[in-house]
Amino acid sequence: VRNMRKDRKQPPLLLLNSPHKIITMADSSSTIEPLSDGTQQPPPSSSKQPLNDNNSPSNYLIQVSDTLPSHHEIQQFLTASNCGAISTFTGITRDNFAGKKVTALSYEGYTPMAIKELTNLCRDAHVKYPNVAKMVAVHILGDCPVGEASVVVGSSSPHRREAIACTEYLIDELKGRVPIWKKEIYEGDEESVWKENVEWKDGRRRRVMVKEES
């Protein structure tokens, strides 16, 4: 999934000397035929949503893949001239669980559905926190060794409180909504364990321990 950058606002329509054509900088092939009285027809309406409001996909950096964007790339994306605060959360593989030595985590998920749900999550977050300008929600798939990042969420806003609250909302909801599962791999002969999101079974937002079948 490519990183999404904020698009520039589409420039206004430019009327040429010829009465037969209206051209935009974004689409040089648009042609408008004159009506019988010599006036021009209005340009066809577009079904695309405007990209200059905060609740636009161009203001979300969403990625589900075997690599994560760098810290610099995330900070650069979240930076906006009208924002004085950036808040991020990074989830890192720790080396223990319930007294067991963890050597790595392995993540699996259905990428198209995960991306769709992350997009919906960002839209929901914007409704809850309308002053947030940009959001990041990225998650790794595959193996994630101890000490490495597996998930990053973040947001930017004019003031810190909304950015911090939005980031907390993003990670909490991601854990309960997005179809990504992790397997904890233990040191020695102990069985690996899947942690799955059971919301996708019973509509309940909690996580349970499920042992991997041999």
Side-chain angles (χ1 to χ4, degrees):
V1 179
R2 294 180 299 178
N3 291 353
M4 290 174 282
R5 305 294 184 183
K6 186 174 181 180
D7 296 337
R8 295 181 179 177
K9 186 177 180 181
Q10 181 171 305
L13 295 174
L14 302 178
L15 297 179
L16 303 184
N17 292 332
S18 166
H20 297 278
K21 191 178 291 185
I22 296 177
I23 295 181
T24 71
M25 296 295 289
D27 182 8
S28 60
S29 63
S30 299
T31 59
I32 305 297
E33 294 298 326
L35 300 176
S36 57
D37 61 0
T39 62
Q40 292 175 322
Q41 302 178 54
S45 60
S46 173
S47 60
K48 294 182 180 179
Q49 296 181 348
L51 297 180
N52 58 351
D53 67 303
N54 290 347
N55 197 10
S56 161
S58 65
N59 291 323
Y60 309 149
L61 174 55
I62 294 171
Q63 181 174 312
V64 179
S65 69
D66 59 357
T67 60
L68 294 180
S70 69
H71 175 75
H72 174 74
E73 289 172 325
I74 290 171
Q75 292 291 114
Q76 188 175 43
F77 178 84
L78 289 172
T79 299
S81 60
N82 64 332
C83 291
I86 290 177
S87 173
T88 61
F89 168 84
T90 303
I92 299 172
T93 300
R94 65 178 184 270
D95 67 356
N96 66 90
F97 176 79
K100 300 176 182 179
K101 184 74 172 179
V102 175
T103 59
L105 296 180
S106 183
Y107 289 90
E108 290 186 3
Y110 180 50
T111 302
M113 187 178 291
I115 291 172
K116 180 179 179 180
E117 192 59 38
L118 286 173
T119 303
N120 290 335
L121 171 57
C122 288
R123 287 177 173 148
D124 292 345
H126 180 256
V127 172
K128 191 175 179 67
Y129 304 102
N131 291 326
V132 167
K134 294 182 178 181
M135 299 180 213
V136 167
V138 296
H139 203 296
I140 202 168
L141 292 181
D143 293 340
C144 186
V146 170
E148 295 294 320
S150 59
V151 58
V152 182
V153 296
S155 62
S156 57
S157 66
H159 305 287
R160 70 181 184 276
R161 293 188 187 279
E162 196 158 27
I164 292 171
C166 181
T167 298
E168 184 176 13
Y169 173 83
L170 287 173
I171 188 60
D172 287 346
E173 290 295 305
L174 184 153
K175 291 288 187 178
R177 290 170 54 170
V178 180
I180 294 175
W181 296 265
K182 69 178 178 181
K183 180 173 67 174
E184 288 183 339
I185 302 169
Y186 302 128
E187 186 178 57
D189 297 328
E190 295 183 86
E191 293 181 340
S192 299
V193 174
W194 283 101
K195 287 185 174 181
E196 75 174 323
N197 183 345
V198 297
E199 186 209 21
W200 293 94
K201 288 184 177 179
D202 303 319
R204 300 176 64 184
R205 292 186 182 181
R206 62 183 178 86
R207 303 185 77 88
V208 297
M209 302 294 291
V210 179
K211 287 188 177 182
E212 185 183 35
E213 296 181 358
S214 56

